[in-house]
Amino acid sequence: MADYSHTGANAEAVDYTDEGAVDYRIANDHDRCMKCGLCIAFCPCEVLDADDEGHPYAAHPELCVGCTTCSGNCPVRALSVESVGGASFDPYADEERAEPIGNDAQREYARLQQSIMDSLGLRWQPVAVSLIDAEEQLPDAPMPAENLRFCQAMMAARRGASVLMPPFKHSCPDGTSIFGMTGVPEKLATGEIYVLFHKVVNAEAAAKMVAERPVLPPKSKRATYVAPLAKTVRDPEVVVFTGTPEQMMWLSMSMSYYTGHRHDFHASGFNSMCVEAVLLPIANDEPNITFGCYGCRAATDIGEDMMFMGVPTRLLPMIAEGAAELAKKAIPDSRNKIYVPPIM
């Protein structure tokens, strides 16, 4: 069982930066800038401050993680954030990579993926998720040219990409702190940023939400690795499925086909991919459903009709077998609306 902790409103401040961090250039167009201060308020890492004339500037550029929350909340798009040489930055270029899983394991994952997708009619590939321990070798997988949020990497993986991201390749400080790759910035630890985004009514509600979510200990993990299940080079801790609510229903039923077990899902609309789709299934060793969240819906191509389920890898054979049985009669009968009276 992983070591989990919680970060509440009174959490002790910890270093949330990464040793191999990419540098970012933050520029402000004074002709367009309204001096409203929104970029300063929304920056979760307290990089920005106002100069004597009220214009924002990077007072602490070394703290920037490139999340673009500041520029995204500028009403006139006067602020810009770009990495400096980030595309070619790889401090692990000379590090020996981990041996991939064997051919038999890869073939089995590919078989399970195809079986489940065929039975449920899934459009998107299930995503294998691995959290790489601090002392573990990195898998042999590419890093993205541009920094990504974890949810963006997940959406790329469901389309076929394999993505390895140490902290300096993550553009969301929420995700890196939740996954234990860094500490947590104060604005996130207290929940202040959620109030600014108008996601919760006040600081008390924000602090409660933050305190209730699981997080891994700071600096306990060194990277995230996501890939289509059929392509993974490492045994994943959890596999995340993307689909419609109807497909998630059948996915849930496939795990109950042989037992009749009812699942206890925990969803909130906060930290969807990192907490609800990944950490909760790992922590509880049970599947969990999630509707998506503000961040992943604002930053990816997730459709309004899509939702997700994270399942521990051990459940994949059960899912494949149960889904195949449901596909023989229950799924086609339901989709054919056999109980709908004929239209006269």
Side-chain angles (χ1 to χ4, degrees):
M1 183 67 68
D3 180 17
Y4 286 81
S5 60
H6 288 77
T7 303
N10 297 318
E12 181 181 354
V14 292
D15 176 25
Y16 57 86
T17 57
D18 182 59
E19 292 180 0
V22 173
D23 291 328
Y24 295 92
R25 180 182 296 112
I26 302 171
N28 181 54
D29 185 341
H30 286 196
D31 292 334
R32 299 174 65 183
C33 180
M34 299 168 58
K35 304 180 186 179
C36 64
L38 285 176
C39 57
I40 299 173
F42 274 96
C43 174
C45 301
E46 301 188 81
V47 174
L48 303 174
D49 204 344
D51 63 20
D52 292 340
E53 296 180 355
H55 291 114
Y57 75 102
H60 304 285
E62 73 281 0
L63 300 181
C64 182
V65 296
C67 68
T68 69
T69 304
C70 57
S71 58
N73 283 279
C74 175
V76 293
R77 294 297 188 265
L79 205 71
S80 65
V81 181
E82 60 181 26
S83 61
V84 181
S88 60
F89 182 76
D90 183 2
Y92 310 118
D94 298 327
E95 181 179 317
E96 184 177 353
R97 297 303 173 93
E99 286 291 324
I101 56 176
N103 292 334
D104 289 346
Q106 289 183 324
R107 282 192 289 268
E108 177 62 7
Y109 284 136
R111 183 193 71 81
L112 290 169
Q113 171 173 307
Q114 195 62 55
S115 175
I116 295 168
M117 291 185 70
D118 288 347
S119 294
L120 303 185
L122 296 176
R123 175 182 180 185
W124 304 110
Q125 298 181 75
V127 177
V129 180
S130 295
L131 304 182
I132 312 302
D133 287 337
E135 304 303 322
E136 184 181 351
Q137 283 184 311
L138 295 173
D140 189 8
M143 296 184 197
E146 299 292 336
N147 287 22
L148 299 175
R149 295 171 181 264
F150 179 71
C151 51
Q152 291 172 324
M154 292 287 289
M155 296 307 104
R158 69 180 169 86
R159 293 177 177 272
S162 297
V163 186
L164 174 67
M165 296 201 306
F168 64 86
K169 281 297 181 182
H170 281 257
S171 61
C172 176
D174 228 354
T176 58
S177 60
I178 286 169
F179 284 143
M181 292 188 290
T182 64
V184 56
E186 184 178 358
K187 285 186 180 179
L188 294 175
T190 62
E192 176 186 345
I193 195 74
Y194 294 98
V195 180
L196 288 172
F197 272 112
H198 211 68
K199 297 179 186 178
V200 290
V201 65
N202 55 29
E204 182 180 4
K208 180 176 177 60
M209 182 276 295
V210 171
E212 288 183 354
R213 72 186 185 191
V215 298
L216 291 170
K219 305 300 179 75
S220 63
K221 303 292 179 180
R222 66 182 304 207
T224 59
Y225 165 62
V226 298
L229 179 61
K231 287 184 176 181
T232 183
V233 298
R234 182 186 184 277
D235 288 316
E237 283 80 34
V238 65
V239 176
V240 178
F241 292 85
T242 303
T244 64
E246 188 256 11
Q247 290 170 327
M248 295 299 102
M249 178 194 79
W250 294 117
L251 184 60
S252 177
M253 288 181 65
S254 71
M255 289 178 277
S256 303
Y257 184 80
Y258 293 102
T259 65
H261 174 63
R262 289 178 177 268
H263 300 289
D264 294 321
F265 296 134
H266 299 273
S268 67
F270 294 102
N271 309 122
S272 171
M273 288 293 108
C274 45
V275 170
E276 295 179 350
V278 176
L279 279 198
L280 284 175
I282 294 175
N284 300 328
D285 196 30
E286 292 290 343
N288 196 55
I289 207 161
T290 178
F291 309 115
C293 65
Y294 174 99
C296 71
R297 289 193 176 277
T300 75
D301 63 345
I302 295 171
E304 294 177 357
D305 61 339
M306 296 163 64
M307 59 188 304
F308 315 90
M309 187 184 295
V311 300
T313 306
R314 67 174 179 83
L315 296 178
L316 291 178
M318 179 191 296
I319 292 171
E321 293 174 15
E325 291 298 319
L326 291 168
K328 293 177 180 178
K329 178 174 173 59
I331 293 176
D333 280 359
S334 177
R335 290 176 177 172
N336 288 331
K337 310 294 185 185
I338 63 169
Y339 297 123
V340 176
I343 299 175
M344 305 301 293

